[in-house]
Amino acid sequence: YRNPIPPNDRIVIKDSYSAFSVLQAAWDMNKIDLVEEFHILLLDRANSVLGLSHIATGSISSCVADPRIIFATALKARASSLILSHNHPSGNLRPSNADLEMTRKLVEGGKLLDINVLDHLILTSHSYLSFGDECLMPT
């Protein structure tokens, strides 16, 4: 679990667009309009990227992301915070009730582990929506 990238060379997430840029560069663009996938950005206390992890692949209209896998990955990476992300193959950026509930559940779980869930991004092949920018992140 040693990060091969020196701290000074790590990408720093300053806003939702910088998170989107990192995620988009790593996403398999051949799948983004085909099936839902769930990824997390792992960050240190300075919001430097420790890594990116693919959590789950679903179907055309859904993806089940197991909170235990998400937080096990964060703990192993020694992450202080996370940015959640998944894609909507439909191209619709509007979060579903399931998206909102999952985000709430992960924010609550993160509080127990002292791992901040900073944002949740929904990606499409052309754009993104940030729960944080849209004031949809639970407090």
Side-chain angles (χ1 to χ4, degrees):
Y1 303 107
R2 180 178 238 170
N3 193 326
I5 300 171
N8 292 340
D9 294 340
R10 295 179 191 158
I11 297 169
V12 176
I13 301 300
K14 297 178 181 172
D15 53 25
S16 67
Y17 184 76
S18 59
F20 168 66
S21 296
V22 170
L23 290 161
Q24 186 180 43
W27 215 280
D28 182 347
M29 296 311 280
N30 292 317
K31 289 184 178 180
I32 199 162
D33 292 328
L34 181 62
V35 294
E36 275 199 28
E37 294 183 316
F38 197 98
H39 298 222
I40 58 173
L41 271 177
L42 302 149
L43 307 173
D44 65 13
R45 290 236 181 258
N47 287 344
S48 295
V49 176
L50 296 171
L52 174 89
S53 183
H54 173 267
I55 298 297
T57 298
S59 66
I60 292 171
S61 59
S62 68
C63 182
V64 177
D66 189 332
R68 295 169 293 188
I69 301 295
I70 292 168
F71 287 116
T73 303
L75 290 167
K76 287 178 182 178
R78 298 179 303 118
S80 297
S81 56
L82 301 174
I83 294 178
L84 313 172
S85 67
H86 75 284
N87 65 308
H88 279 179
S90 67
N92 180 357
L93 288 171
R94 187 173 51 248
S96 68
N97 287 337
D99 294 339
L100 295 167
E101 180 57 24
M102 173 68 142
T103 304
R104 186 198 62 74
K105 182 190 262 188
L106 292 170
V107 167
E108 289 301 313
K111 287 177 184 176
L112 293 172
L113 297 169
D114 197 24
I115 298 173
N116 294 321
V117 178
L118 301 176
D119 203 349
H120 187 161
L121 302 183
I122 297 175
L123 284 73
T124 68
S125 56
H126 301 290
S127 191
Y128 76 101
L129 175 133
S130 160
F131 283 40
D133 292 351
E134 299 296 321
C135 299
L136 296 173
M137 285 301 291
T139 55

